[in-house]
Amino acid sequence: MRLLSEDEYRATMEPEPVQLGPGDEPPFDFWPYFDEIPEADLQGHDFSEGLVTYAWHMPQGNRQHVLVNCERSNVFLVVVLDLNLNVVLGHYVLDIMRVQDGG
């Protein structure tokens, strides 16, 4: 399980990601990876429901960001998928409010 740094996470992003619809299935089963993420990587948040509201396709790098919801509406566990290799590149805790505040 690879916890991505902020720089590593940002390197997987693209300027014009494509939002996937709620009915779109993930390209491969990443849940075994999700289940093995160490609790210390979750920064005290609870993502155990495994609910995904948002997913984004990064077409240039052929990656997908799957955002797993937690108990706070503005915090997600982002699981980054490499669609060329059908592997998980890593995970990152995204706090939208911290990003908007510039921190």
Side-chain angles (χ1 to χ4, degrees):
M1 311 304 102
R2 178 159 165 69
L3 176 61
L4 301 173
S5 70
E6 184 172 354
D7 287 341
E8 291 170 325
Y9 166 70
R10 288 183 182 271
T12 68
M13 297 177 72
E14 294 179 10
E16 296 184 25
V18 177
Q19 186 172 8
L20 302 174
D24 291 335
E25 291 293 319
F28 59 89
D29 184 11
F30 65 88
W31 292 109
Y33 175 97
F34 173 85
D35 292 338
E36 295 296 321
I37 295 173
E39 184 132 348
D41 289 3
L42 304 180
Q43 301 176 13
H45 296 290
D46 179 8
F47 300 96
S48 62
E49 284 190 42
L51 181 63
V52 174
T53 303
Y54 303 102
W56 298 88
H57 181 234
M58 309 296 163
Q60 293 173 359
N62 203 25
R63 295 185 188 103
Q64 193 173 106
H65 286 194
V66 179
L67 281 66
V68 182
N69 301 13
C70 83
E71 80 286 356
R72 289 184 50 204
S73 62
N74 60 332
V75 177
F76 301 91
L77 179 67
V78 182
V79 181
V80 181
L81 311 179
D82 181 319
L83 304 182
N84 293 319
L85 300 174
N86 284 337
V87 298
V88 177
L89 293 176
H91 57 279
Y92 179 78
V93 176
L94 175 64
D95 182 338
I96 302 292
M97 297 305 288
R98 187 178 66 81
V99 171
Q100 288 178 346
D101 289 343

